[in-house]
Amino acid sequence: MSVSSSEKIKRFAVIGHPIAHSKSPSIHSTFAQLTGVQLSYETLEAPVDDFKGTIDQLQKAGWDGCNVTVPFKEQAWQIADERSLFAGRAGAANTLVFRDDGSIYADNTDGSGLVRDLQHNLQVELKNKRILLLGAGGAVRGVLEPLLAEKPAALFIANRTAAKALALAEDFAGAGVISGGGFGDIEGEFDLIINGTAASLQGELPPLPDDCLAEGGACYDMMYATATQSTAFMLWGEQHSAGLVADGMGMLVEQAADAFNVWHGIRPETLTVLAGLREGIVS
Ligand code: ATR
C-alpha cells in the first residue's frame, strides 16, 4: 500500500553534544501515543564544529524539525529565517521547524515551559510577585521574556559575575520591574526564587542571604534532581521553610509539550509523562 503525504510519518530529533542521555525521545514518543500523532523522534549528536552541516543534511533528507540543546541553541537561533517573539528575545532556540519551502522557523519553549510548570502544575502565582532569578547565562536569558510577560512586581537577577546580571537586566529593561547585581546585592524578601545557575551540576549552592525567601515562598531549580537526591538549592529551600520546593522536571516536560504543539498543532496532556519520569517508567 502506498503512503499518501498526509499519512507520512514525520521525523524529528533532538540535537546536542553530548546527547545520549536525553529524555526527549521518550517524552515525545509518549506524547505521540497519547495524541495519536505518527512520528519518529531520535537523538542526534552533531559535531561541535558543524551544527549547520547536520541541519542541512536533515533538511535535504526531508526531516520535519528538531529540538536543539547544549551547546547549539544560539546557533539554532542564528540559522533561522523567522523566529517567535520568545526565541527572538532569548537569542537562542530549542525548537526548529523545517518548512516545505526550505526555510527554518525557530521557537524557544524553555520559558513558556517553566511558566506553565510553575502556574499550572505547581500553582505558583507570578503576577505581582517578587521573583529572584539566580544566574545570568543562556538558561536564564531564555526564560526572561516569558517570566516578564506574567507581570511580576519585581524581578531581580543575581549572578556570581555581577556585570553579567546587570547587562542582562539592562537588555530587558523595557519592562521596568527588572534589575540585577551580585549575590551580595540581594535585598528584601522574594515570593519565588528560581535557580538558573549551573552550580547544581557541581553540587554547589549560590551564596544566598538567609532572609531572602518570603514566608511560604517557593524555590524552583531549573536543573532536575534524581529520584533519591534533591539539588543543593532544593535542600536550601527545605532548610529555609519554603512553602514549595521543585526541580526542573516539569519544565522539561512542559517545554517538550510546547514544542510538540509547534510541530503538530496539538498540546498533549503532560501529567502522564511527568508521573512516568518520576516513577522511572518513562526514562
Ligand atoms: P547555561 O547555558 O546553563 O546558562 P552558562 O551560559 O555557561 O550556562 O551560564 C552558567 C551560569 O551559572 C552563569 O550564571 C554562572 O555564573 P558566572 O556568570 O559568574 O560564570 C553560573 N554558575 C556556574 N557555576 C556556578 C557556581 N558554582 N556558583 C554560582 N554560579 C555558578
Side-chain angles (χ1 to χ4, degrees):
M1 191 182 78
S2 69
V3 178
S4 75
S5 61
S6 63
E7 289 166 337
K8 184 195 121 188
I9 293 181
K10 292 186 168 184
R11 298 191 73 184
F12 301 91
V14 55
I15 304 178
H17 191 117
I19 196 64
H21 299 294
S22 172
K23 297 182 190 302
S24 293
S26 307
I27 295 173
H28 279 273
S29 300
T30 311
F31 285 163
Q33 285 163 21
L34 289 170
T35 56
V37 169
Q38 299 268 320
L39 60 85
S40 79
Y41 189 109
E42 46 205 270
T43 54
L44 210 65
E45 187 170 88
V48 193
D49 58 358
D50 198 21
F51 174 72
K52 176 79 171 68
T54 303
I55 295 293
D56 286 347
Q57 281 174 23
L58 294 184
Q59 282 189 288
K60 279 199 194 103
W63 288 46
D64 297 277
C66 62
N67 281 134
V68 181
T69 187
V70 178
F72 300 124
K73 288 185 184 182
E74 283 80 10
Q75 288 182 59
W77 184 91
Q78 279 162 3
I79 64 167
D81 299 289
E82 194 191 335
R83 305 175 183 104
S84 70
L85 169 73
F86 286 169
R89 292 293 279 146
N94 74 339
T95 304
L96 297 180
V97 180
F98 304 149
R99 290 165 161 163
D100 291 343
D101 64 2
S103 67
I104 296 178
Y105 175 76
D107 207 337
N108 190 323
T109 63
D110 288 332
S112 57
L114 169 68
V115 166
R116 173 89 183 181
D117 191 36
L118 285 166
Q119 296 194 139
H120 189 82
N121 299 340
L122 302 169
Q123 267 84 53
V124 173
E125 295 259 349
L126 302 174
K127 192 173 167 63
N128 294 329
K129 299 295 178 189
R130 284 173 52 80
I131 302 175
L132 173 59
L133 200 43
L134 309 175
V140 164
R141 188 183 181 95
V143 301
L144 270 179
E145 188 76 23
L147 280 175
L148 288 168
E150 299 304 319
K151 306 261 181 273
L155 197 157
F156 187 80
I157 306 171
N159 194 43
R160 182 172 61 184
T161 312
K164 279 168 68 179
L166 285 163
L168 202 49
E170 179 92 345
D171 245 19
F172 285 77
V177 298
I178 190 167
S179 51
F183 293 120
D185 300 317
I186 297 171
E187 277 178 10
E189 292 186 338
F190 292 85
D191 305 296
L192 167 64
I193 307 178
I194 301 172
N195 183 26
T197 70
S200 290
L201 285 176
Q202 304 133 27
E204 290 174 11
L205 179 71
L208 295 174
D210 275 325
D211 57 359
C212 66
L213 182 65
E215 200 180 332
C219 288
Y220 190 100
D221 202 327
M222 281 164 60
M223 296 282 150
Y224 44 86
T226 66
T228 52
Q229 192 156 23
S230 300
T231 68
F233 173 67
M234 291 166 75
L235 293 175
W236 183 92
E238 283 158 21
Q239 285 154 9
H240 290 77
S241 308
L244 180 140
V245 173
D247 74 347
M249 192 79 91
M251 175 179 171
L252 174 76
V253 175
E254 296 299 343
Q255 65 76 27
D258 281 340
F260 194 94
N261 193 20
V262 169
W263 292 325
H264 309 293
I266 305 170
R267 196 177 196 286
E269 175 271 303
T270 50
L271 296 185
T272 304
V273 173
L274 194 47
L277 283 169
R278 298 253 184 244
E279 288 159 21
I281 300 164
V282 177
S283 58

PDB file of all heavy atoms in Angstrom, residues 70 73-74 134-142 157-162 164-165 183 195-207 222-223, ligand 1:
ATOM      1  N   VAL A  70      22.172  21.996  24.423  1.00  0.00           N
ATOM      2  CA  VAL A  70      23.556  22.454  24.626  1.00  0.00           C
ATOM      3  C   VAL A  70      24.504  21.679  23.720  1.00  0.00           C
ATOM      4  O   VAL A  70      24.382  20.450  23.653  1.00  0.00           O
ATOM      5  CB  VAL A  70      23.946  22.223  26.108  1.00  0.00           C
ATOM      6  CG1 VAL A  70      25.385  22.621  26.368  1.00  0.00           C
ATOM      7  CG2 VAL A  70      22.991  22.993  27.021  1.00  0.00           C
ATOM      8  N   LYS A  73      22.106  25.947  21.019  1.00  0.00           N
ATOM      9  CA  LYS A  73      20.879  26.754  20.987  1.00  0.00           C
ATOM     10  C   LYS A  73      21.078  28.126  20.330  1.00  0.00           C
ATOM     11  O   LYS A  73      20.183  28.631  19.661  1.00  0.00           O
ATOM     12  CB  LYS A  73      20.321  26.934  22.404  1.00  0.00           C
ATOM     13  CG  LYS A  73      19.693  25.671  22.979  1.00  0.00           C
ATOM     14  CD  LYS A  73      19.050  25.952  24.320  1.00  0.00           C
ATOM     15  CE  LYS A  73      18.503  24.680  24.928  1.00  0.00           C
ATOM     16  NZ  LYS A  73      17.823  24.917  26.203  1.00  0.00           N
ATOM     17  N   GLU A  74      22.242  28.722  20.541  1.00  0.00           N
ATOM     18  CA  GLU A  74      22.493  30.043  19.928  1.00  0.00           C
ATOM     19  C   GLU A  74      22.652  29.896  18.411  1.00  0.00           C
ATOM     20  O   GLU A  74      22.158  30.713  17.639  1.00  0.00           O
ATOM     21  CB  GLU A  74      23.740  30.715  20.528  1.00  0.00           C
ATOM     22  CG  GLU A  74      23.521  31.320  21.912  1.00  0.00           C
ATOM     23  CD  GLU A  74      23.567  30.294  23.041  1.00  0.00           C
ATOM     24  OE1 GLU A  74      23.964  29.126  22.770  1.00  0.00           O
ATOM     25  OE2 GLU A  74      23.192  30.629  24.181  1.00  0.00           O
ATOM     26  N   LEU A 134      18.432  33.353  39.882  1.00  0.00           N
ATOM     27  CA  LEU A 134      19.860  33.162  40.131  1.00  0.00           C
ATOM     28  C   LEU A 134      20.551  32.698  38.858  1.00  0.00           C
ATOM     29  O   LEU A 134      20.157  31.695  38.264  1.00  0.00           O
ATOM     30  CB  LEU A 134      20.064  32.119  41.233  1.00  0.00           C
ATOM     31  CG  LEU A 134      19.261  32.345  42.523  1.00  0.00           C
ATOM     32  CD1 LEU A 134      19.458  31.164  43.481  1.00  0.00           C
ATOM     33  CD2 LEU A 134      19.673  33.657  43.184  1.00  0.00           C
ATOM     34  N   GLY A 135      21.602  33.436  38.439  1.00  0.00           N
ATOM     35  CA  GLY A 135      22.336  33.098  37.220  1.00  0.00           C
ATOM     36  C   GLY A 135      22.073  34.120  36.130  1.00  0.00           C
ATOM     37  O   GLY A 135      21.042  34.820  36.165  1.00  0.00           O
ATOM     38  N   ALA A 136      22.996  34.214  35.192  1.00  0.00           N
ATOM     39  CA  ALA A 136      22.825  35.171  34.092  1.00  0.00           C
ATOM     40  C   ALA A 136      23.372  34.596  32.789  1.00  0.00           C
ATOM     41  O   ALA A 136      23.832  35.328  31.914  1.00  0.00           O
ATOM     42  CB  ALA A 136      23.509  36.486  34.437  1.00  0.00           C
ATOM     43  N   GLY A 137      23.329  33.269  32.665  1.00  0.00           N
ATOM     44  CA  GLY A 137      23.791  32.612  31.443  1.00  0.00           C
ATOM     45  C   GLY A 137      22.651  32.401  30.469  1.00  0.00           C
ATOM     46  O   GLY A 137      21.570  32.992  30.596  1.00  0.00           O
ATOM     47  N   GLY A 138      22.887  31.519  29.499  1.00  0.00           N
ATOM     48  CA  GLY A 138      21.894  31.263  28.458  1.00  0.00           C
ATOM     49  C   GLY A 138      20.582  30.735  29.011  1.00  0.00           C
ATOM     50  O   GLY A 138      19.515  31.087  28.505  1.00  0.00           O
ATOM     51  N   ALA A 139      20.665  29.905  30.047  1.00  0.00           N
ATOM     52  CA  ALA A 139      19.437  29.308  30.600  1.00  0.00           C
ATOM     53  C   ALA A 139      18.518  30.394  31.158  1.00  0.00           C
ATOM     54  O   ALA A 139      17.299  30.344  30.978  1.00  0.00           O
ATOM     55  CB  ALA A 139      19.788  28.290  31.681  1.00  0.00           C
ATOM     56  N   VAL A 140      19.097  31.375  31.823  1.00  0.00           N
ATOM     57  CA  VAL A 140      18.298  32.460  32.410  1.00  0.00           C
ATOM     58  C   VAL A 140      17.791  33.403  31.326  1.00  0.00           C
ATOM     59  O   VAL A 140      16.610  33.770  31.305  1.00  0.00           O
ATOM     60  CB  VAL A 140      19.126  33.210  33.481  1.00  0.00           C
ATOM     61  CG1 VAL A 140      18.497  34.542  33.828  1.00  0.00           C
ATOM     62  CG2 VAL A 140      19.249  32.333  34.729  1.00  0.00           C
ATOM     63  N   ARG A 141      18.650  33.763  30.407  1.00  0.00           N
ATOM     64  CA  ARG A 141      18.225  34.640  29.307  1.00  0.00           C
ATOM     65  C   ARG A 141      17.007  34.042  28.583  1.00  0.00           C
ATOM     66  O   ARG A 141      16.066  34.750  28.216  1.00  0.00           O
ATOM     67  CB  ARG A 141      19.382  34.850  28.326  1.00  0.00           C
ATOM     68  CG  ARG A 141      19.058  35.878  27.308  1.00  0.00           C
ATOM     69  CD  ARG A 141      20.096  36.113  26.242  1.00  0.00           C
ATOM     70  NE  ARG A 141      19.550  37.170  25.418  1.00  0.00           N
ATOM     71  CZ  ARG A 141      19.810  38.453  25.560  1.00  0.00           C
ATOM     72  NH1 ARG A 141      20.676  38.852  26.453  1.00  0.00           N
ATOM     73  NH2 ARG A 141      19.213  39.350  24.829  1.00  0.00           N
ATOM     74  N   GLY A 142      17.042  32.722  28.409  1.00  0.00           N
ATOM     75  CA  GLY A 142      15.991  32.030  27.667  1.00  0.00           C
ATOM     76  C   GLY A 142      14.614  32.107  28.311  1.00  0.00           C
ATOM     77  O   GLY A 142      13.614  31.944  27.635  1.00  0.00           O
ATOM     78  N   ILE A 157      17.821  39.765  39.031  1.00  0.00           N
ATOM     79  CA  ILE A 157      18.753  38.734  38.551  1.00  0.00           C
ATOM     80  C   ILE A 157      20.028  38.849  39.375  1.00  0.00           C
ATOM     81  O   ILE A 157      20.675  39.908  39.384  1.00  0.00           O
ATOM     82  CB  ILE A 157      19.122  38.950  37.066  1.00  0.00           C
ATOM     83  CG1 ILE A 157      17.859  39.044  36.211  1.00  0.00           C
ATOM     84  CG2 ILE A 157      20.033  37.852  36.570  1.00  0.00           C
ATOM     85  CD1 ILE A 157      18.152  39.469  34.770  1.00  0.00           C
ATOM     86  N   ALA A 158      20.388  37.792  40.077  1.00  0.00           N
ATOM     87  CA  ALA A 158      21.626  37.796  40.863  1.00  0.00           C
ATOM     88  C   ALA A 158      22.593  36.791  40.257  1.00  0.00           C
ATOM     89  O   ALA A 158      22.205  35.658  39.959  1.00  0.00           O
ATOM     90  CB  ALA A 158      21.332  37.424  42.315  1.00  0.00           C
ATOM     91  N   ASN A 159      23.826  37.212  40.072  1.00  0.00           N
ATOM     92  CA  ASN A 159      24.803  36.312  39.452  1.00  0.00           C
ATOM     93  C   ASN A 159      26.166  36.461  40.110  1.00  0.00           C
ATOM     94  O   ASN A 159      26.494  37.513  40.642  1.00  0.00           O
ATOM     95  CB  ASN A 159      24.927  36.647  37.955  1.00  0.00           C
ATOM     96  CG  ASN A 159      25.652  35.567  37.187  1.00  0.00           C
ATOM     97  OD1 ASN A 159      25.400  34.383  37.397  1.00  0.00           O
ATOM     98  ND2 ASN A 159      26.563  35.950  36.311  1.00  0.00           N
ATOM     99  N   ARG A 160      26.952  35.350  40.087  1.00  0.00           N
ATOM    100  CA  ARG A 160      28.319  35.365  40.626  1.00  0.00           C
ATOM    101  C   ARG A 160      29.101  36.517  39.990  1.00  0.00           C
ATOM    102  O   ARG A 160      29.753  37.288  40.681  1.00  0.00           O
ATOM    103  CB  ARG A 160      28.963  34.008  40.315  1.00  0.00           C
ATOM    104  CG  ARG A 160      30.341  33.826  40.834  1.00  0.00           C
ATOM    105  CD  ARG A 160      30.790  32.404  40.633  1.00  0.00           C
ATOM    106  NE  ARG A 160      30.811  32.009  39.218  1.00  0.00           N
ATOM    107  CZ  ARG A 160      31.098  30.785  38.785  1.00  0.00           C
ATOM    108  NH1 ARG A 160      31.359  29.816  39.660  1.00  0.00           N
ATOM    109  NH2 ARG A 160      31.114  30.505  37.494  1.00  0.00           N
ATOM    110  N   THR A 161      29.025  36.639  38.663  1.00  0.00           N
ATOM    111  CA  THR A 161      29.641  37.768  37.963  1.00  0.00           C
ATOM    112  C   THR A 161      28.557  38.839  37.816  1.00  0.00           C
ATOM    113  O   THR A 161      27.709  38.776  36.922  1.00  0.00           O
ATOM    114  CB  THR A 161      30.140  37.322  36.571  1.00  0.00           C
ATOM    115  OG1 THR A 161      30.882  36.107  36.717  1.00  0.00           O
ATOM    116  CG2 THR A 161      31.008  38.385  35.925  1.00  0.00           C
ATOM    117  N   ALA A 162      28.608  39.826  38.710  1.00  0.00           N
ATOM    118  CA  ALA A 162      27.520  40.817  38.782  1.00  0.00           C
ATOM    119  C   ALA A 162      27.319  41.532  37.454  1.00  0.00           C
ATOM    120  O   ALA A 162      26.174  41.815  37.053  1.00  0.00           O
ATOM    121  CB  ALA A 162      27.811  41.824  39.894  1.00  0.00           C
ATOM    122  N   LYS A 164      27.421  40.565  34.479  1.00  0.00           N
ATOM    123  CA  LYS A 164      26.567  39.836  33.520  1.00  0.00           C
ATOM    124  C   LYS A 164      25.088  39.989  33.874  1.00  0.00           C
ATOM    125  O   LYS A 164      24.231  40.110  32.996  1.00  0.00           O
ATOM    126  CB  LYS A 164      26.954  38.352  33.477  1.00  0.00           C
ATOM    127  CG  LYS A 164      28.165  38.107  32.582  1.00  0.00           C
ATOM    128  CD  LYS A 164      28.745  36.722  32.731  1.00  0.00           C
ATOM    129  CE  LYS A 164      27.880  35.598  32.223  1.00  0.00           C
ATOM    130  NZ  LYS A 164      28.549  34.286  32.397  1.00  0.00           N
ATOM    131  N   ALA A 165      24.789  40.004  35.172  1.00  0.00           N
ATOM    132  CA  ALA A 165      23.393  40.199  35.608  1.00  0.00           C
ATOM    133  C   ALA A 165      22.934  41.614  35.270  1.00  0.00           C
ATOM    134  O   ALA A 165      21.802  41.824  34.814  1.00  0.00           O
ATOM    135  CB  ALA A 165      23.268  39.943  37.100  1.00  0.00           C
ATOM    136  N   PHE A 183      25.356  38.423  44.146  1.00  0.00           N
ATOM    137  CA  PHE A 183      24.594  37.778  45.226  1.00  0.00           C
ATOM    138  C   PHE A 183      24.553  38.689  46.457  1.00  0.00           C
ATOM    139  O   PHE A 183      23.575  38.684  47.205  1.00  0.00           O
ATOM    140  CB  PHE A 183      25.195  36.413  45.566  1.00  0.00           C
ATOM    141  CG  PHE A 183      25.047  35.414  44.446  1.00  0.00           C
ATOM    142  CD1 PHE A 183      26.173  34.832  43.861  1.00  0.00           C
ATOM    143  CD2 PHE A 183      23.793  35.069  43.967  1.00  0.00           C
ATOM    144  CE1 PHE A 183      26.034  33.915  42.816  1.00  0.00           C
ATOM    145  CE2 PHE A 183      23.644  34.160  42.926  1.00  0.00           C
ATOM    146  CZ  PHE A 183      24.777  33.583  42.348  1.00  0.00           C
ATOM    147  N   ASN A 195      16.488  28.960  40.533  1.00  0.00           N
ATOM    148  CA  ASN A 195      17.919  28.759  40.323  1.00  0.00           C
ATOM    149  C   ASN A 195      18.186  28.387  38.871  1.00  0.00           C
ATOM    150  O   ASN A 195      17.816  27.310  38.422  1.00  0.00           O
ATOM    151  CB  ASN A 195      18.440  27.655  41.251  1.00  0.00           C
ATOM    152  CG  ASN A 195      19.938  27.466  41.099  1.00  0.00           C
ATOM    153  OD1 ASN A 195      20.651  28.394  40.706  1.00  0.00           O
ATOM    154  ND2 ASN A 195      20.418  26.276  41.405  1.00  0.00           N
ATOM    155  N   GLY A 196      18.844  29.295  38.159  1.00  0.00           N
ATOM    156  CA  GLY A 196      19.216  29.022  36.771  1.00  0.00           C
ATOM    157  C   GLY A 196      20.722  28.989  36.600  1.00  0.00           C
ATOM    158  O   GLY A 196      21.220  29.124  35.485  1.00  0.00           O
ATOM    159  N   THR A 197      21.466  28.845  37.709  1.00  0.00           N
ATOM    160  CA  THR A 197      22.927  28.728  37.604  1.00  0.00           C
ATOM    161  C   THR A 197      23.283  27.269  37.325  1.00  0.00           C
ATOM    162  O   THR A 197      22.463  26.364  37.520  1.00  0.00           O
ATOM    163  CB  THR A 197      23.644  29.130  38.913  1.00  0.00           C
ATOM    164  OG1 THR A 197      23.380  28.134  39.912  1.00  0.00           O
ATOM    165  CG2 THR A 197      23.212  30.489  39.402  1.00  0.00           C
ATOM    166  N   ALA A 198      24.510  27.068  36.905  1.00  0.00           N
ATOM    167  CA  ALA A 198      24.989  25.705  36.685  1.00  0.00           C
ATOM    168  C   ALA A 198      25.566  25.133  37.980  1.00  0.00           C
ATOM    169  O   ALA A 198      26.134  24.041  37.975  1.00  0.00           O
ATOM    170  CB  ALA A 198      26.038  25.709  35.575  1.00  0.00           C
ATOM    171  N   ALA A 199      25.402  25.859  39.102  1.00  0.00           N
ATOM    172  CA  ALA A 199      26.003  25.428  40.372  1.00  0.00           C
ATOM    173  C   ALA A 199      25.499  24.049  40.798  1.00  0.00           C
ATOM    174  O   ALA A 199      26.264  23.232  41.309  1.00  0.00           O
ATOM    175  CB  ALA A 199      25.719  26.456  41.466  1.00  0.00           C
ATOM    176  N   SER A 200      24.214  23.773  40.555  1.00  0.00           N
ATOM    177  CA  SER A 200      23.645  22.485  40.976  1.00  0.00           C
ATOM    178  C   SER A 200      24.374  21.306  40.325  1.00  0.00           C
ATOM    179  O   SER A 200      24.496  20.239  40.918  1.00  0.00           O
ATOM    180  CB  SER A 200      22.165  22.410  40.600  1.00  0.00           C
ATOM    181  OG  SER A 200      21.421  23.288  41.404  1.00  0.00           O
ATOM    182  N   LEU A 201      24.838  21.522  39.093  1.00  0.00           N
ATOM    183  CA  LEU A 201      25.549  20.452  38.390  1.00  0.00           C
ATOM    184  C   LEU A 201      26.785  20.020  39.161  1.00  0.00           C
ATOM    185  O   LEU A 201      27.193  18.866  39.122  1.00  0.00           O
ATOM    186  CB  LEU A 201      25.999  20.937  36.998  1.00  0.00           C
ATOM    187  CG  LEU A 201      24.941  21.056  35.921  1.00  0.00           C
ATOM    188  CD1 LEU A 201      25.546  21.631  34.656  1.00  0.00           C
ATOM    189  CD2 LEU A 201      24.328  19.689  35.643  1.00  0.00           C
ATOM    190  N   GLN A 202      27.389  21.000  39.867  1.00  0.00           N
ATOM    191  CA  GLN A 202      28.599  20.704  40.647  1.00  0.00           C
ATOM    192  C   GLN A 202      28.251  20.461  42.118  1.00  0.00           C
ATOM    193  O   GLN A 202      29.145  20.414  42.959  1.00  0.00           O
ATOM    194  CB  GLN A 202      29.581  21.886  40.545  1.00  0.00           C
ATOM    195  CG  GLN A 202      29.966  22.275  39.117  1.00  0.00           C
ATOM    196  CD  GLN A 202      29.894  23.781  38.871  1.00  0.00           C
ATOM    197  OE1 GLN A 202      30.052  24.571  39.783  1.00  0.00           O
ATOM    198  NE2 GLN A 202      29.639  24.168  37.626  1.00  0.00           N
ATOM    199  N   GLY A 203      26.963  20.328  42.424  1.00  0.00           N
ATOM    200  CA  GLY A 203      26.559  20.116  43.817  1.00  0.00           C
ATOM    201  C   GLY A 203      26.784  21.343  44.674  1.00  0.00           C
ATOM    202  O   GLY A 203      26.849  21.253  45.895  1.00  0.00           O
ATOM    203  N   GLU A 204      26.917  22.498  44.027  1.00  0.00           N
ATOM    204  CA  GLU A 204      27.184  23.733  44.779  1.00  0.00           C
ATOM    205  C   GLU A 204      25.926  24.592  44.882  1.00  0.00           C
ATOM    206  O   GLU A 204      24.933  24.362  44.200  1.00  0.00           O
ATOM    207  CB  GLU A 204      28.307  24.520  44.109  1.00  0.00           C
ATOM    208  CG  GLU A 204      29.654  23.825  44.257  1.00  0.00           C
ATOM    209  CD  GLU A 204      30.743  24.529  43.470  1.00  0.00           C
ATOM    210  OE1 GLU A 204      30.522  25.651  42.990  1.00  0.00           O
ATOM    211  OE2 GLU A 204      31.824  23.921  43.343  1.00  0.00           O
ATOM    212  N   LEU A 205      26.047  25.619  45.719  1.00  0.00           N
ATOM    213  CA  LEU A 205      24.902  26.475  46.005  1.00  0.00           C
ATOM    214  C   LEU A 205      25.343  27.933  45.910  1.00  0.00           C
ATOM    215  O   LEU A 205      26.360  28.296  46.489  1.00  0.00           O
ATOM    216  CB  LEU A 205      24.452  26.166  47.440  1.00  0.00           C
ATOM    217  CG  LEU A 205      23.273  26.942  47.984  1.00  0.00           C
ATOM    218  CD1 LEU A 205      21.995  26.487  47.312  1.00  0.00           C
ATOM    219  CD2 LEU A 205      23.182  26.720  49.492  1.00  0.00           C
ATOM    220  N   PRO A 206      24.599  28.765  45.197  1.00  0.00           N
ATOM    221  CA  PRO A 206      24.943  30.192  45.213  1.00  0.00           C
ATOM    222  C   PRO A 206      24.821  30.733  46.645  1.00  0.00           C
ATOM    223  O   PRO A 206      23.934  30.288  47.378  1.00  0.00           O
ATOM    224  CB  PRO A 206      23.893  30.821  44.294  1.00  0.00           C
ATOM    225  CG  PRO A 206      23.342  29.702  43.489  1.00  0.00           C
ATOM    226  CD  PRO A 206      23.444  28.474  44.352  1.00  0.00           C
ATOM    227  N   PRO A 207      25.687  31.660  47.045  1.00  0.00           N
ATOM    228  CA  PRO A 207      25.617  32.193  48.410  1.00  0.00           C
ATOM    229  C   PRO A 207      24.432  33.143  48.566  1.00  0.00           C
ATOM    230  O   PRO A 207      24.455  34.270  48.095  1.00  0.00           O
ATOM    231  CB  PRO A 207      26.948  32.950  48.553  1.00  0.00           C
ATOM    232  CG  PRO A 207      27.346  33.293  47.147  1.00  0.00           C
ATOM    233  CD  PRO A 207      26.750  32.268  46.247  1.00  0.00           C
ATOM    234  N   MET A 222      15.931  24.958  38.094  1.00  0.00           N
ATOM    235  CA  MET A 222      15.737  24.602  36.685  1.00  0.00           C
ATOM    236  C   MET A 222      16.454  23.289  36.322  1.00  0.00           C
ATOM    237  O   MET A 222      16.131  22.660  35.321  1.00  0.00           O
ATOM    238  CB  MET A 222      16.188  25.749  35.774  1.00  0.00           C
ATOM    239  CG  MET A 222      15.125  26.845  35.712  1.00  0.00           C
ATOM    240  SD  MET A 222      15.673  28.436  35.065  1.00  0.00           S
ATOM    241  CE  MET A 222      16.221  28.013  33.453  1.00  0.00           C
ATOM    242  N   MET A 223      17.440  22.899  37.120  1.00  0.00           N
ATOM    243  CA  MET A 223      18.058  21.573  36.962  1.00  0.00           C
ATOM    244  C   MET A 223      17.079  20.536  37.507  1.00  0.00           C
ATOM    245  O   MET A 223      16.241  20.869  38.344  1.00  0.00           O
ATOM    246  CB  MET A 223      19.314  21.468  37.818  1.00  0.00           C
ATOM    247  CG  MET A 223      20.391  22.409  37.427  1.00  0.00           C
ATOM    248  SD  MET A 223      21.212  21.774  35.989  1.00  0.00           S
ATOM    249  CE  MET A 223      21.730  23.283  35.213  1.00  0.00           C
TER     250      MET A 223
HETATM  251  P1  ATR B   1      23.713  27.980  30.822  1.00  0.00           P
HETATM  252  O1  ATR B   1      23.505  27.961  29.335  1.00  0.00           O
HETATM  253  O2  ATR B   1      23.409  26.682  31.507  1.00  0.00           O
HETATM  254  O3  ATR B   1      23.038  29.127  31.479  1.00  0.00           O
HETATM  255  P2  ATR B   1      26.160  29.432  31.015  1.00  0.00           P
HETATM  256  O4  ATR B   1      25.692  30.397  29.994  1.00  0.00           O
HETATM  257  O5  ATR B   1      27.586  28.948  30.966  1.00  0.00           O
HETATM  258  O6  ATR B   1      25.293  28.110  31.012  1.00  0.00           O
HETATM  259  O7  ATR B   1      25.882  30.069  32.457  1.00  0.00           O
HETATM  260  C1  ATR B   1      26.160  29.391  33.653  1.00  0.00           C
HETATM  261  C2  ATR B   1      25.611  30.216  34.819  1.00  0.00           C
HETATM  262  O8  ATR B   1      25.835  29.503  36.044  1.00  0.00           O
HETATM  263  C3  ATR B   1      26.296  31.564  34.989  1.00  0.00           C
HETATM  264  O9  ATR B   1      25.366  32.468  35.527  1.00  0.00           O
HETATM  265  C4  ATR B   1      27.396  31.236  36.015  1.00  0.00           C
HETATM  266  O10 ATR B   1      27.883  32.343  36.742  1.00  0.00           O
HETATM  267  P3  ATR B   1      29.030  33.290  36.082  1.00  0.00           P
HETATM  268  O11 ATR B   1      28.331  34.135  35.054  1.00  0.00           O
HETATM  269  O12 ATR B   1      29.536  34.091  37.213  1.00  0.00           O
HETATM  270  O13 ATR B   1      30.042  32.359  35.495  1.00  0.00           O
HETATM  271  C5  ATR B   1      26.642  30.308  36.918  1.00  0.00           C
HETATM  272  N1  ATR B   1      27.479  29.402  37.733  1.00  0.00           N
HETATM  273  C6  ATR B   1      28.190  28.336  37.297  1.00  0.00           C
HETATM  274  N2  ATR B   1      28.783  27.713  38.338  1.00  0.00           N
HETATM  275  C7  ATR B   1      28.439  28.397  39.456  1.00  0.00           C
HETATM  276  C8  ATR B   1      28.710  28.250  40.859  1.00  0.00           C
HETATM  277  N3  ATR B   1      29.473  27.257  41.301  1.00  0.00           N
HETATM  278  N4  ATR B   1      28.155  29.143  41.722  1.00  0.00           N
HETATM  279  C9  ATR B   1      27.366  30.150  41.272  1.00  0.00           C
HETATM  280  N5  ATR B   1      27.075  30.352  39.976  1.00  0.00           N
HETATM  281  C10 ATR B   1      27.584  29.476  39.072  1.00  0.00           C
END
